[in-house]
Amino acid sequence: MPNEIKIRVNERMWTVESAPDTPLLYVLANDLNLQGPRFGCGLGQCGSCSVLVNGVEARSCRTPVSAVEGKSVTTLEGLPAWYAAQKKLSVVPEMHPVQQAMIDEQTAQCGYCYNGMIIKASELLTKTLKPTDAQIRTAMNGHLCRCGTYPRILKAVQRAAQKMGEAQARQRAASRREAQARQRAASRREAQARQRAASREVKSE
Ligand code: FES
Ligand code: FES
């Protein structure tokens, strides 16, 4: 029996008519017309349908739509904005660093598994900024690539981790410079105020 269900996807509220046990993947693809999550096995075993639910990777083929009510779903389409919000960036980048790294390393062959690979790697790099190869292998273990592009995926995730680390260092340096500039401006204002007070005292004598 279809119900009216409200879900938040990519920071936008949607109301869908759906049976509560409908797989989230069907709602994303058919009702919201989102093409990022892909139907692969339909059994929760390949990862091609992955999305983030409150920042945690979930298989949308095995997640009933009613289970995400009151939660925040992020698909591949919303990943750059999700990243920008996490890192407090003033501008949303065109791509998440993992997406960019996958392109830079020319990892994809048919590309079918890449939705899940990118979603999972993004989740990993949120929790572990500098993962080892072993940590990447463990995290990505449940994501299958029938083209066998695993070595290139590993390289791309390491590349994204490095770029994210560099961006974070730049952001920290910029915040430090801003704080120092604010401090200097405050000191200048205090000195000027003292000077004005001193010249008022001189005039009144
Ligand atoms: S389609 Fe969902 S895990 Fe394979
Ligand atoms: S690139 Fe073809 S399934 Fe992964």
Side-chain angles (χ1 to χ4, degrees):
M1 196 52 186
N3 284 5
E4 208 171 75
I5 296 179
K6 287 190 193 326
I7 52 173
R8 178 184 289 277
V9 179
N10 297 335
E11 290 312 307
R12 182 176 158 193
M13 287 308 296
W14 302 82
T15 303
V16 293
E17 290 271 331
S18 185
D21 58 351
T22 305
L24 174 63
L25 176 61
Y26 297 177
V27 174
L28 296 174
N30 302 335
D31 297 64
L32 275 50
N33 203 25
L34 293 168
Q35 305 299 314
R38 305 261 173 87
F39 186 92
C41 62
L43 298 168
Q45 290 173 357
C46 72
S48 65
C49 65
S50 287
V51 296
L52 295 173
V53 177
N54 287 352
V56 178
E57 185 248 337
R59 309 284 158 113
S60 65
C61 69
R62 300 292 283 173
T63 305
V65 63
S66 57
V68 300
E69 274 188 291
K71 296 180 180 167
S72 180
V73 177
T74 306
T75 70
L76 190 68
E77 289 86 348
L79 206 57
W82 176 79
Y83 172 70
Q86 273 195 324
K87 300 288 176 189
K88 299 185 174 44
L89 305 180
S90 49
V91 179
V92 175
E94 204 181 328
M95 277 180 269
H96 187 287
V98 172
Q99 292 174 292
Q100 186 60 58
M102 296 282 185
I103 292 172
D104 293 342
E105 292 290 340
Q106 300 191 3
T107 47
Q109 200 160 308
C110 79
Y112 203 85
C113 66
Y114 271 74
N115 170 71
M117 296 294 181
I118 291 167
I119 290 284
K120 188 66 194 178
S122 304
E123 181 211 45
L124 168 68
L125 295 182
T126 304
K127 293 185 289 196
T128 312
L129 196 55
K130 285 187 189 168
T132 61
D133 284 358
Q135 284 173 315
I136 297 172
R137 281 201 185 92
T138 303
M140 311 293 287
N141 197 20
H143 288 260
L144 306 182
C145 174
R146 62 188 166 185
C147 302
T149 63
Y150 301 111
R152 296 205 295 264
I153 290 172
L154 193 66
K155 263 178 96 180
V157 177
Q158 286 294 16
R159 184 187 186 108
Q162 192 193 334
K163 296 284 174 195
M164 285 169 71
E166 288 167 5
Q168 195 171 41
R170 278 199 301 277
Q171 218 179 349
R172 282 211 195 104
S175 314
R176 260 199 312 275
R177 281 197 300 274
E178 268 175 41
Q180 285 165 350
R182 274 199 302 276
Q183 180 69 46
R184 279 197 299 273
S187 305
R188 261 200 311 276
R189 280 196 299 278
E190 275 172 31
Q192 284 164 351
R194 275 199 302 275
Q195 234 172 6
R196 278 197 297 275
S199 47
R200 273 198 300 276
E201 274 172 28
V202 171
K203 275 185 200 157
S204 65
E205 279 171 7

